[in-house]
């Protein structure tokens, strides 16, 4: 952050003058402020819990879910900081509840077109050379609130793009395990299967597996949370969340995709002409302004516009902000280090003059991809689909400072939520 | 990790052959393994908790503490992965318990040699331009188990160097707040004060404050844990933990250090000749092998030696491992990205032949500093001190695979724990 530029922006003056001056002496001696000094605090503890005052910082669960044992919840993006998603707030997605797996009983089997079928305990996996990398995971169904027409006026950053999170994963490269088993020359696909109630199954190309897939057993330094796949899951960098099979039970090495229920009834993209695009693995570039964002309220004056951006294709190279619905763009700063296939935090210092304005953000990645406008998205994809929505999210700031969904209704587009292909609706 | 080198090391063969082969078919159909598949799992939750099976992964609290409202507990380093310390396991250090501070009532006052005394709410601080950086925090008293002579045979990596942790901090650069207040030309020092029961107070040079000190309100994306200073603390990159005042209440801008109780009764270094070195701020380079480490047990065969290294002077440039007590050294791999004043994970693939061996690790930083041997450390510092112990930690692997403290007793050195300068003993 360039300090000279910051102060130039403010005209070199006091930032928040009426709030800050002169009450200093009073503030130091205020009875309420002095309370903590007068009492011995709480003792050392074995595992730290959050302050009670943080109880409302939680994942968002739609009140419209038919059941809570199949569905998703959203990371509260506008309440988070930096790029690391804390372990308790990583978004969830499952189809049959979260299994409770005993790590002592846990076994991973690799079999099929291999020289030797192998079975690993958790201890075995941890003995292999380890790799730690920070990656985002995003549900292919993220952003689907954007399919709604007219747009939901009560949308928040969380409900817009919160089926995405970003943590440091530790595990063993799957390639090492496959080499251990010995891959036969005719093998082309892997079929990972989970041990949840739906035995969640996907088909994964062998090339991707050999490239950078991890068999992961830790997130942000400690064991996986049960809802993130405890004790072991796949991490498939930059690809849709569903293929990153949780509670990993076995991997069948084979020569064809299995066309499982989990990749046919869901996670296929229905095109405008009714044909179905079977496999869309790589997550497209995304960005979301988290401040100021939907349902927040701001006052005129200085604000640092903040948001998150990411792409399954690699590094984010640029994030732009528009204040005139795409006619002109300004470039935001990206917080270092900018890592491949991980969240980046973007920031732009800005002075709000109190007049109504609409903010847009647009991310570019190292492969040259960018986000479409909402109109461009529907021209290309139609409304039969409900996945891979990565159109620009607009936020409107009214003259009274209230922030709301700035997306415009699209004429000629059907009303209501998306037609969508199968599966339950996991938010309204 | 170079895969060819890995397999060359193993002679190209199966890694863990007796454990892995052939039970594959049986494992897939084992009744215990199939259990999770047969039951609907647990529902979506608002804030994720750890698996019940992880209950023993906790901070270490010495059973010898006289009280748990003044003391420290240790991050369980050998049970962690990667470099990020999860929020619940960050080491603790306090002198009067953990205060419970209401964020609505929270105020930060900056006063003294300033143009305008200012008072900030938490919301004010969050409105300033933010910065997110990953930094380690280490207690100056870390490593003090190494002062013990003869060495403690039951030492673990946790009790050796666990008063250190590494998270992503978000906050406002203190420099921006000081510019807001307007620093008078005669100002040279800051006196930050906490609102805990001991009103913890240190003296901080203005230059360091202007360079990179953060007024932090988030760790790993969410609010600080109460024991890490909720809702606001200082983060002083690379400097001893005690100066990174928690539950920050006010900062007095002045021209002299205050020589508070907290920087005279403790955190001064008594030299061999009895003189006292008043301010030793920068944390020296450290390394600790976390696997294999004290009280673990290993079998002959392949192991990835793993550990953590860090330095208050900047980036770690090299970590070396010795198998012959310092006669020869091999270089470990450092996991990317290698950040300044943050933990780095080092790794070295190794085949244990089953014979007794002692492992040493030694870190080098970008300023050219390295760790001394234990003998060199005591030659320089004597035993009147109990801070800034960063000598090499040795681990001995016996022929039966048990790992224990490999430090050798030093003749001519007094027996027992350190004489130490003031303060309570927070481990034995």
């Amino acid at each position: 952050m360039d300090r000279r530029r910051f102060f130039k922006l403010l005209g070199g003056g006091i930032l928040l003058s009426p709030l800050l001056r002169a009450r200093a002496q009073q503030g130091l001696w205020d009875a309420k402020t002095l309370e903590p000094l007068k009492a011995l605090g709480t003792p050392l503890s074995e595992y730290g819990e959050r302050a009670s005052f943080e109880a409302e910082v939680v994942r968002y669960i739609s009140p419209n879910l038919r059941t809570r044992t199949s569905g998703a919840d959203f990371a509260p993006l506008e309440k988070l900081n930096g790029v690391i998603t804390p372990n308790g707030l990583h978004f969830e997605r499952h189809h049959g509840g979260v299994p409770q797996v005993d790590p002592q009983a846990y076994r991973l089997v690799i079999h099929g077109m291999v020289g030797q079928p192998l079975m690993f305990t958790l201890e075995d996996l941890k003995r292999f050379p380890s790799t730690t990398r920070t990656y985002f995971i995003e549900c292919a169904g993220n952003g689907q609130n954007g399919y709604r027409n007219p747009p939901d006026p009560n949308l928040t950053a969380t409900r817009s793009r919160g089926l995405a999170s970003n943590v440091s994963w530790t595990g063993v490269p799957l390639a090492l395990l496959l080499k251990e088993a010995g891959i036969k020359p005719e093998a082309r696909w892997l079929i990972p299967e989970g041990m949840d109630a739906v035995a969640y199954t996907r088909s994964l190309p062998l090339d991707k597996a050999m490239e950078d897939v991890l068999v992961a057993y830790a997130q942000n330094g400690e064991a996986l949370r049960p809802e993130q796949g405890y004790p072991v899951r796949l991490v498939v960098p930059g690809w849709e969340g569903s293929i990153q099979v949780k509670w990993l039970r076995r991997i069948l090495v084979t020569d064809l995709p299995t066309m499982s229920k989990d990749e046919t009834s869901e996670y296929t993209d229905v095109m405008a002409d009714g044909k179905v695009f079977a496999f869309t693995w790589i997550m497209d570039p995304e960005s979301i302004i988290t401040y100021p964002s939907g349902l927040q309220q701001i006052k005129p004056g200085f604000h640092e516009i903040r948001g998150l951006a990411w792409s399954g294709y690699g590094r984010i190279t640029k994030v732009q902000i528009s204040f005139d619905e795409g006619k002109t763009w300004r470039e935001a700063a990206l917080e270092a280090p900018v890592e491949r296939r991980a969240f980046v935090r973007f920031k732009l210092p800005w002075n709000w003059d109190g007049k109504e304005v609409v903010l847009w953000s647009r991310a570019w990645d190292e492969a040259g991809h960018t986000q479409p406008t909402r109109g461009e998205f529907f021209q290309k994809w139609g409304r039969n689909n409900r996945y891979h929505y990565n159109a620009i999210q607009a936020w409107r700031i009214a003259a009274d400072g209230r922030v709301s969904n700035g997306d415009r209704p699209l004429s000629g587009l059907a009303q209501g939520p998306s037609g969508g292909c199968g599966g339950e609706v996991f938010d309204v």
Side-chain angles (χ1 to χ4, degrees), chain A:
Chain A
M1 165 66 201
D2 185 74
R3 291 174 189 152
R4 279 197 220 101
R5 180 158 163 259
F6 164 57
F7 280 99
K8 212 185 281 183
L9 183 79
L10 298 175
I14 295 292
L15 174 66
L16 300 159
S17 43
L19 299 168
L20 299 177
R21 271 193 215 121
R23 291 203 309 268
Q25 286 297 106
Q26 179 188 335
L28 273 178
W29 302 109
D30 181 82
K32 186 110 174 63
T33 310
L34 286 171
E35 261 172 43
L37 287 144
K38 295 182 177 174
L40 195 59
T42 56
L44 299 167
S45 60
E46 289 193 321
Y47 191 82
E49 304 289 344
R50 303 189 301 162
S52 57
F53 304 99
E54 295 299 312
E56 85 285 3
V57 180
V58 290
R59 297 189 275 230
Y60 170 78
I61 307 178
S62 169
N64 300 301
L65 287 177
R66 275 167 288 189
T67 166
R68 287 194 173 185
T69 47
S70 179
D73 54 37
F74 297 67
L77 297 180
E78 63 267 26
K79 297 182 182 174
L80 299 181
N81 304 272
V83 292
I84 294 289
T85 308
N87 285 344
L89 293 172
H90 195 296
F91 87 94
E92 285 187 85
R93 173 68 171 129
H94 55 71
H95 300 75
V98 178
Q100 306 304 306
V101 179
D102 178 351
Q104 301 282 355
Y106 175 80
R107 301 288 182 268
L108 171 62
V109 169
I110 297 181
H111 64 147
M113 291 181 180
V114 294
Q116 312 253 359
L118 299 175
M119 186 174 79
F120 303 85
T121 64
L122 181 55
E123 199 185 315
D124 295 335
L125 295 175
K126 288 181 175 181
R127 208 159 141 205
F128 275 81
S130 61
T131 291
T132 300
R133 291 272 187 282
T134 300
Y135 293 123
F136 77 85
I137 291 185
E138 181 182 15
C139 181
N142 196 20
Q144 67 175 261
N145 278 300
Y147 275 97
R148 190 175 306 286
N149 202 44
D152 177 356
N154 295 319
L155 196 66
T156 59
T158 293
R159 290 179 54 239
S160 174
R161 305 297 151 100
L163 294 180
S165 300
N166 186 74
V167 299
S168 174
W169 300 102
T170 302
V172 47
L174 177 53
L176 292 181
L177 304 181
L178 294 174
K179 283 200 116 180
E180 189 76 10
I183 303 298
K184 290 195 167 156
E186 60 270 28
R188 292 284 179 277
W189 289 82
L190 305 184
I191 315 295
E193 179 188 88
M195 66 176 82
D196 51 342
V198 302
Y200 198 83
T201 303
R202 290 292 307 258
S203 306
L204 175 65
L206 182 60
D207 284 352
K208 177 64 173 176
M210 294 302 292
E211 184 190 324
D212 58 7
V213 172
L214 292 182
V215 174
Y217 44 76
Q219 67 185 85
N220 291 339
E222 60 184 348
L224 304 181
R225 286 287 189 273
E227 59 269 23
Q228 267 77 64
Y230 181 87
V232 176
R233 71 170 298 154
L234 285 186
V235 171
V236 185
W239 285 31
E240 53 187 11
S242 56
I243 207 168
Q244 310 197 33
V245 174
K246 300 188 287 282
W247 316 290
L248 186 64
R249 174 168 181 264
R250 66 166 169 146
I251 297 175
L252 178 68
V253 182
T254 181
D255 58 348
L256 289 170
T258 195
M259 307 315 287
S260 72
K261 64 191 184 327
D262 305 302
E263 59 199 7
T264 50
S265 70
E266 292 189 278
Y267 303 114
T268 55
D269 306 318
V270 184
M271 311 292 289
D273 65 3
K275 288 196 174 137
V276 176
F277 205 104
F279 289 132
T280 46
W281 290 310
I282 303 178
M283 298 307 293
D284 296 301
E286 277 278 25
S287 71
I288 180 74
I289 292 172
T290 54
Y291 178 80
S293 64
L295 300 192
Q296 292 176 347
Q297 181 146 16
I298 66 171
K299 298 186 176 110
F302 174 82
H303 298 275
E304 180 182 68
I305 297 172
R306 297 168 183 150
L308 293 166
W310 62 93
S311 175
Y313 287 94
R315 270 190 191 86
I316 293 295
T317 50
K318 188 165 61 180
V319 175
Q320 298 170 309
I321 313 275
S322 178
F323 299 89
D324 53 18
E325 296 187 277
K327 295 180 199 64
T328 61
W329 295 92
R330 286 175 56 193
E331 197 166 334
L334 304 182
E335 186 122 57
V338 180
E339 299 207 66
R340 302 192 77 227
R341 299 172 176 150
F343 280 4
V344 68
R345 174 66 66 178
F346 62 86
K347 305 180 292 188
L348 184 69
W350 172 64
N351 200 37
W352 184 44
D353 59 8
K355 300 195 183 106
E356 178 163 318
V357 65
V358 176
L359 305 186
W360 285 18
S361 65
R362 178 170 74 177
W364 296 80
D365 65 32
E366 63 177 273
H369 301 116
T370 190
Q371 297 176 262
T373 64
R374 197 156 167 276
E376 287 165 353
F377 184 89
F378 285 116
Q379 265 187 317
K380 182 174 176 189
W381 292 99
R383 278 188 87 244
N384 288 335
N385 194 21
R386 66 186 185 103
Y387 299 111
H388 292 286
Y389 181 91
N390 75 321
I392 290 167
Q393 175 66 59
W395 299 119
R396 176 182 312 279
I397 305 172
D400 65 0
R402 284 177 209 272
V403 189
S404 64
N405 191 347
D407 287 345
R408 291 183 181 280
L410 293 167
S411 59
L413 202 63
Q415 302 295 296
S418 146
C421 164
E424 73 284 12
V425 174
F426 51 87
D427 190 22
V428 173

